[in-house]
Amino acid sequence: MDPVTVGSPGSGSDPHVQAEMGRRRFVRLLLGFSLVSTVSMIITPIVGFLIPKKVEGASGGGKVLAAKVADLPAGSGKVVAMGSKPVVVVNGEGGVKAFSAVCTHLGCIVEFDATLKHIVCPCHDGHFSPASGAVVSGPPPKALATVNAVVEGDSIFLVAG
Amino acid sequence: MATQTTAAPNGVVQWFEERVRATALFNALLHVPIPVEAKTYYLGGITLFLFMVQVATGTLLSLYYKPTPEAAYDSVKYITSIVEFGWLIRSIHHWAANGMIIFLLLHVIRIFVQGVYKYPRELIWVFGALLFAVTIGFGFTGYLLPWDQKAFWATTVGTEIAAAVPFIGESLLQLLRGGPDVTDATLSRFFGMHVLVLPISLALLLAAHLTVVHQLGIANPKRPEPRPGQLPTPGLVQRWKPFFPHYVLDEVIAWAILLALLVVLASVSPAGLEDKADALVTPPHVKPEWYFLAVYQLLKVVPAIGPLTARDVGILIPMLAMVVLVTLPFLDKNPEVAKRKRPVALIIAAIVLIGMGILTWYGGQIPAVAVAAS
């Protein structure tokens, strides 16, 4: 196609050059757009593929038997599974309490230390109060999440939600 | 007849030469001069050799390994105790992985001390630093594969570190683990990264690293290239030695010695296996591999600073250190390479290395000591 036929007369000093530049800019824009579209089309499914699907935890609701009262004497504690989530149940001075057993520092599983009377993380030596789950010492940034523990008869239940 | 027999190899070589034109390629790759003063101490070459050992042993291990939580532990046990020479292959893989980190670290230190990362070799350093990150990634992803207690909890802690990255932490954690927890999805991802993503990344980075080394030549630590606009020092004559066979032969001898050492280490101290992973019990005194101990211990001892929690500080420091490592040639503006003219850089590096050494040693102590002291 002749560039002269594309140029708009009177729009500049050299219509040939202006038409050429306008067309080049348009083609470049089109190429750039195609490139971005192509890259996006390739990347979008890859990113979508890599993002895991949300899976409902097994601890979605209900009541889970944690232990028999006889198996958890005063001054002791144990880690039990509540669905897929570990929970530390402690029979301390304030009665039976339960907390998430996942350390708030870096995700290790805490356990009750009967000698120190603390909930202790074995990874970085974080200590938590068995009464409230609050941090007593060490690097954990926050308290252990509380889980509802209910004593019914001779059994200790964990109640979700 | 005898004439025909001796002529046959030449004929075969000639046949391939006509079709591949390999002589010119080998000449370009191997017949290059290097400065007489260039002393590499075999460190980069040994790292390359160990990577080749890892590819060979890793490929063999993958023939028996099963990447599912139900089968991974037993398949590693099977490799170790039933498969002929399985213990040897696995132990060499284990020791070569450790060796790769050690020699890579020594290689980085050598390059830093000699100051040969400066103009015009900045990109060689950047590719090298990225290779270092990929190698650490190999260690981290390979760690989980045996699916024992140590593997499981080191991965739990390691991926939890990613969760503390500002803004994208939670997404990064999900991306690494394939969900909120360390599960079969994590094992699949780590296996895929360990045997495909990271080897391909490492091969590409290595190709880039070595290509630029080849293009610029091995640096002379005593006499840096003149910068643009700078005249070469008059009266100095550069002496050269051939890369092939002199340098290559030295390297190959070092590789042979190292291979023997790997076999001895594998025999004397074979790779172990702890109890099968249990998501409900973190074993007491759990520790990561030695090269993660400094970060592991840092996370324990750093204090909170301002609005940042101790955990944030402990995670930001290694991240920042990695950024500094990759961008070092652009941060260090001092054009000098002589050690006596770079006291600040060398003192800072020494402090960092000593600090890492102390943290590693401290992290390796049994926690009972820390508990008793507290």
Side-chain angles (χ1 to χ4, degrees):
Chain A
M1 187 187 275
D2 187 350
V4 179
T5 57
V6 179
S8 53
S11 59
S13 57
D14 191 340
H16 290 260
V17 175
Q18 284 220 338
E20 191 68 22
M21 289 306 287
R23 197 156 47 200
R24 280 192 182 191
R25 200 175 297 134
F26 178 69
V27 171
R28 269 193 206 144
L29 200 72
L30 214 59
L31 276 173
F33 181 73
S34 310
L35 199 70
V36 171
S37 312
T38 310
V39 171
S40 308
M41 277 193 297
I42 294 168
I43 287 188
T44 307
I46 294 175
V47 172
F49 184 85
L50 288 173
I51 295 171
K53 289 268 171 234
K54 289 251 182 290
V55 180
E56 276 297 315
S59 57
K63 225 159 63 170
V64 176
L65 175 67
K68 294 285 179 192
V69 175
D71 296 336
L72 201 70
S76 71
K78 66 187 285 194
V79 176
V80 297
M82 188 179 181
S84 61
K85 303 291 178 197
V87 173
V88 58
V89 187
V90 182
N91 189 356
E93 287 166 5
V96 175
K97 303 266 181 181
F99 308 95
S100 162
V102 180
C103 180
T104 54
H105 184 221
L106 289 169
C108 295
I109 303 301
V110 297
E111 56 189 25
F112 181 70
D113 187 318
T115 316
L116 294 171
K117 291 192 168 49
H118 281 168
I119 297 171
V120 180
C121 175
C123 284
H124 291 96
D125 201 24
H127 288 227
F128 300 90
S129 158
S132 62
V135 180
V136 175
S137 69
K142 56 184 180 183
L144 295 171
T146 308
V147 176
N148 288 329
V150 182
V151 180
E152 289 179 3
D154 64 344
S155 301
I156 301 167
F157 290 97
L158 301 174
V159 184
Chain B
M1 194 67 186
T3 315
Q4 276 180 345
T5 312
T6 49
N10 283 340
V12 171
V13 170
Q14 186 63 28
W15 190 91
F16 274 104
E17 176 57 24
E18 281 169 10
R19 282 153 187 85
V20 183
R21 307 268 164 92
T23 307
L25 179 68
F26 284 125
N27 282 343
L29 288 177
L30 292 175
H31 294 290
V32 287
I34 61 170
V36 170
E37 298 89 342
K39 285 190 174 56
T40 63
Y41 307 99
Y42 312 108
L43 301 172
I46 285 177
T47 311
L48 173 66
F49 169 69
L50 289 172
F51 173 60
M52 292 190 285
V53 170
Q54 290 303 75
V55 171
T57 52
T59 306
L60 291 171
L61 290 173
S62 73
L63 301 181
Y64 285 97
Y65 178 72
K66 296 170 185 166
T68 65
E70 296 77 29
Y73 183 78
D74 290 333
S75 70
V76 173
K77 233 175 159 176
Y78 182 78
I79 290 168
T80 313
S81 50
I82 307 286
V83 178
E84 208 72 50
F85 295 112
W87 65 272
L88 181 67
I89 302 294
R90 178 167 172 247
S91 299
I92 288 180
H93 195 74
H94 165 79
W95 279 109
N98 282 286
M100 216 171 145
I101 304 270
I102 292 170
F103 281 98
L104 194 48
L105 199 59
L106 292 173
H107 183 54
V108 171
I109 293 170
R110 194 274 291 178
I111 298 288
F112 180 81
V113 171
Q114 291 188 336
V116 290
Y117 56 93
K118 300 189 177 189
Y119 175 87
R121 293 183 171 76
E122 298 95 330
L123 279 181
I124 299 177
W125 173 275
V126 171
F127 289 133
L130 293 174
L131 279 168
F132 188 81
V134 171
T135 307
I136 294 287
F138 264 115
F140 185 58
T141 51
Y143 218 76
L144 180 65
L145 304 187
W147 202 252
D148 63 358
Q149 277 287 67
K150 192 172 182 177
F152 187 90
W153 291 106
T155 304
T156 301
V157 171
T159 46
E160 198 72 40
I161 287 173
V165 175
F167 309 115
I168 56 162
E170 200 50 46
S171 307
L172 203 59
L173 177 85
Q174 295 264 342
L175 204 66
L176 276 170
R177 289 183 176 176
D181 302 309
V182 176
T183 58
D184 54 342
T186 320
L187 186 59
S188 297
R189 279 178 187 231
F190 274 43
F191 181 66
M193 282 195 273
H194 193 74
V195 302
L196 279 172
V197 178
L198 291 174
I200 292 170
S201 308
L202 194 135
L204 290 175
L205 283 169
L206 192 61
H209 185 71
L210 294 180
T211 302
V212 187
V213 169
H214 180 266
Q215 291 305 104
L216 297 179
I218 293 177
N220 181 345
K222 304 241 184 270
R223 202 177 307 156
E225 275 89 345
R227 293 181 177 239
Q230 191 184 12
L231 292 172
T233 319
L236 289 173
V237 179
Q238 177 66 65
R239 292 180 303 133
W240 303 94
K241 63 181 176 186
F243 177 72
F244 182 84
H246 297 55
Y247 185 87
V248 173
L249 188 64
D250 274 2
E251 288 282 339
V252 171
I253 291 169
W255 294 4
I257 292 170
L258 202 80
L259 185 60
L261 186 67
L262 281 176
V263 174
V264 170
L265 282 171
S267 307
V268 173
S269 178
L273 193 62
E274 295 196 355
D275 292 338
K276 194 171 179 175
D278 182 349
L280 286 183
V281 181
T282 303
H285 317 320
V286 64
K287 287 190 191 314
E289 202 59 81
W290 64 269
Y291 43 87
F292 290 121
L293 275 176
V295 175
Y296 183 81
Q297 190 62 21
L298 188 74
L299 282 160
K300 190 171 172 178
V301 296
V302 286
I305 298 175
L308 299 173
T309 65
R311 187 177 80 154
D312 295 338
V313 176
I315 287 160
L316 282 172
I317 289 173
M319 282 172 60
L320 201 65
M322 199 61 218
V323 172
V324 169
L325 184 76
V326 174
T327 57
L328 180 71
F330 310 105
L331 300 175
D332 181 3
K333 305 280 186 197
N334 183 358
E336 299 292 345
V337 297
K339 288 186 252 324
R340 65 179 186 284
K341 292 179 179 170
R342 304 162 51 219
V344 176
L346 289 172
I347 287 170
I348 290 173
I351 290 170
V352 169
L353 284 173
I354 291 169
M356 283 176 69
I358 290 172
L359 282 172
T360 302
W361 172 81
Y362 191 30
Q365 304 300 303
I366 53 162
V369 176
V371 171
S374 63

